[in-house]
Amino acid sequence: MRLWNQSLLAYGRKMSAAAAGPEPRPASEPHGAGPAAAGEDIAEQRLFRAIRELSAVEPAVRPAAYDAIRSGSSLSIARTLELFDAQMASRHLDLAARWLRSRGTGYYTIGSAGHESNAAVAAALRLTDPALLHYRSGAFYLVRAAQANPRRNGVTDVLLGFVAAAAEPIAGGRHKVFGHPELHVIPQTSTIASHLPRAVGLAFSVERAAKLGLDTPWPRDCLVVASFGDASVNHSTAAGALNTASWCAYQGLPLPLLLVCEDNGIGISVRTPAGWIESASASRPRIKYFAADGADLAQTYDVAAAAANWVRDRRAPAFLHVRAVRLGGHAGTDVESAYRSPAEIAADTARDPLLGTARLLVAAGALTPAEVLDRYEAAKSRVLALAAQVEGAPRLVTAEQVMAPIAPRRPAIVAANLAARSRQVLPGQPRGWQRNPRQPASPPPESAGPLTLAQAINRTLADEMADRETMLVFGEDVARKGGVYGVTRGLLKAFGSGRVFDSPLDEQSILGMALGAGLAGLLPVPEIQYLAYLHNAADQIRGEAATLSFFSRAQYRNPLVVRVPGLAYQLGFGGHFHNDNGLAALRDIPGLVVACPARAADAAAMLRTCLAAAELDGSVCIFLEPIALYHERDLYEPGDGGWLDHYEPLERWAATHVPIGRGRMYGSGQDLTIITFGNGVRLSMRAARTLAADGISCRVLDLRWLAPLPYEDLLRAAAATGRVLVADETRRTGGISETVITTLVDAGFTGRIARVASQDSFVPLGDATATVLLSEGTIEDAARDLVRG
Ligand SMILES: Cc1ncc(C[n+]2csc(CCOP(=O)(O)OP(=O)(O)O)c2C)c(N)n1
Ligand SMILES: [Mg+2]
């Protein structure tokens, strides 16, 4: 034990002299350090000195465990001692992290030192209040772990995270995050504030579920707690989330959300202006502001309890501002002395939450200073003993192990779900859509004649909403207006404002709402009004939705189908933002499903597949709808109705099921395979007809799924003719054709390949549009070159 302390202290000394930069690999460093290092951890020495100097009260009789720690506080002495133990264990976890790092066995050193009063916030809440936590939440986590039944050893959980052990309970060695389903702590990414839109969405959704008579994983009176740092408040994601919380509460929507700002006055090296958090947060409409001194555990507990009661009882948001300090720099690699004066650093020690709690306990006569120090050393021994035990824990060793939870898929179960629904209702019997009391008796869509793409999506949404009671449709203009293109028309009337509603104009909030809804057990189908506007909120897909399963070993999932009208060729409504044809930002996200139906029949089947996959497997799906094809009716000639499809009756849904990653072949031409998707399907089919007149017979493969690509279909289609032309409406750089060709080459295709794509340009207004977009003529020319050239 002594040796560990010494090596740990030596490491602290070494790091204070190290240069700033990425975490060093201490491979060359000897394990352990000499006894000369002992006693050089300055911050700890200052803490010891301050504790020794506390003026001890020696009451004739020790106070009772249930006595208040201080007159007027609702925190008892017994509870203070428990929380003090959690605070100290958290502090020792920070030191253990640095010690493990110094030995090359740990990989994460961002600590909680100075923030340990969040133990009191945890104590003021319930185990079953879902928590989305800041990365300095060690003490909060330990208190939560102790609240569990049976009680968990949170220290071991955190240590396993430091060493990236496969047995770590939440991320299984994939990251160091605070999380555990039994503790209702949902893991967060390192992207500051990115969890706040989800937290707002979760608070909204627990209430919305109750309104709809649906269960969530949490009790009816739960609240959602989300914590974050002071610098994070400046992030536009935080600003958007706070605004949306305010926007909801302002119009009386219930939103039980406790926002906890742990304000240490600095973000890495950038100071937060004095008074800024209070000024920026105390006057937000309908978000009640509370403030507490994090150096004072009793005050923090009392204020946190008041804030929690306020949120729980009123089902309204509150902002709890806890003033903290940051001890030991931003992370183990941070040389704080480069940007803070010694006096500033020393001043923080006086506000050390451990000292504050020691002061409370000594003043109450519950402990003497010597007993505090003994307790501190005992806690250190326990944590370091556990740290030594986890050092050799097995890690993830194969890519398969690492990747297993990215997007677990069970296509057979998805297909069976659709088949079971086919069997549920006999032909001729009313089904969900018609049984819905809000739905005026209307003929089923299959008897309505051939439909456009937009109509088919509309009818499918209605059919699915009727059968899937957890499904919500929301976004900008989707409810009252029924969508900019009418795709959600009639849904509000049929299913009510509890399930179909307009959102504020903030894509991050829309997606965050969806992420929260998914966690609450709902099936969110948000709409992002145009593909161009997905980009300003892309992190909610890339960083949040797509990673949750990965960082939680699939214990948490993000069932999600985001409808995104997009792509180009809109006549009369031009310009880049309504014709964005860039998909690169979606294509590289591990596990993400990107569906792109070109016609009505595929849209209906693929949307059903996405919804079933989201509900059953937690799949994160982007449903990309080519706007230019929404209302298209014809294929070759005006009036031919070649782009319309009949809506399949329910009893044929199993037979017409389109699994994720299956393409669709048109024709059986022998000269050339055109591989395409979206608008390119119609362009290519028209080109193929012209080419046929020239004696070139083509087949056209519609990929339908842009992620994952229909691998088997792709290879089969290419092999069928030995010549492949990729007709890609996205840009040449980063577009779909890059991945199609790479896939074929990787698979050993040795035939001829060429591609035509849109220019690496933004899309201009007016007739100039045609100069940058893939055209039918370009496809024809390239096909002739490929076959004859
Ligand atoms: C979006 C984003 N930008 C930058 C970073 C890098 N970064 C990590 S922590 C941090 C400062 C956060 O400060 P604050 O919110 O005050 O939390 P504290 O570390 O002080 O507790 C920064 C800039 C990040 N993680 N996420
Ligand atoms: Mg800070």
Side-chain angles (χ1 to χ4, degrees), residues 391-622:
E391 257 199 306
R395 317 296 210 264
L396 299 169
V397 289
T398 66
E400 285 77 23
Q401 287 173 358
V402 170
M403 293 165 69
I406 288 180
R409 279 198 195 114
R410 300 170 302 169
I413 289 183
V414 169
N417 174 266
L418 294 168
R421 288 171 69 206
S422 294
R423 284 193 298 273
Q424 258 166 24
V425 179
L426 296 172
Q429 280 189 351
R431 58 179 202 243
W433 166 244
Q434 294 160 305
R435 285 196 304 270
N436 181 351
R438 288 173 179 270
Q439 177 60 28
S442 63
E446 57 266 27
S447 28
L451 303 179
T452 60
L453 178 73
Q455 289 167 334
I457 296 170
N458 175 266
R459 307 302 189 268
T460 306
L461 287 170
D463 257 345
E464 292 290 316
M465 288 200 81
D467 278 1
R468 299 186 191 274
E469 58 179 2
T470 58
M471 184 172 153
L472 305 181
V473 168
F474 54 93
E476 293 153 20
D477 305 300
V478 300
R480 291 187 72 168
K481 182 172 167 66
V484 173
Y485 297 94
V487 176
T488 51
R489 197 171 288 154
L491 298 181
L492 171 63
K493 185 159 174 256
F495 300 100
S497 58
R499 296 182 63 197
V500 181
F501 50 91
D502 290 320
S503 67
L505 202 172
D506 177 23
E507 283 74 19
Q508 290 201 95
S509 290
I510 294 170
L511 293 174
M513 196 73 87
L515 300 186
L519 277 179
L522 301 171
L523 179 56
V525 185
E527 176 182 303
I528 296 296
Q529 202 161 77
Y530 287 96
L531 177 59
Y533 308 132
L534 181 68
H535 299 305
N536 73 40
D539 181 60
Q540 292 296 307
I541 302 284
R542 297 179 71 83
E544 289 290 323
T547 64
L548 184 62
S549 180
F550 184 73
F551 291 131
S552 71
R553 292 192 300 149
Q555 297 170 94
Y556 286 105
R557 310 174 324 158
N558 266 135
L560 180 59
V561 181
V562 188
R563 292 187 39 253
V564 186
L567 299 175
Y569 304 97
Q570 276 205 81
L571 298 177
F573 196 28
H576 178 72
F577 300 97
H578 304 113
N579 289 277
D580 188 0
N581 59 344
L583 293 177
L586 296 172
R587 226 189 72 197
D588 70 334
I589 302 176
L592 188 74
V593 174
V594 181
C596 184
R599 59 185 308 143
D602 287 343
M606 291 166 71
L607 184 51
R608 283 194 288 269
T609 301
C610 286
L611 291 165
E615 185 163 292
L616 298 166
D617 287 343
S619 300
V620 181
C621 307
I622 304 289

Side-chain angles (χ1 to χ4, degrees), residues 229-231 262 264-267:
D230 48 297
E262 299 185 11
N264 56 24
I266 200 161

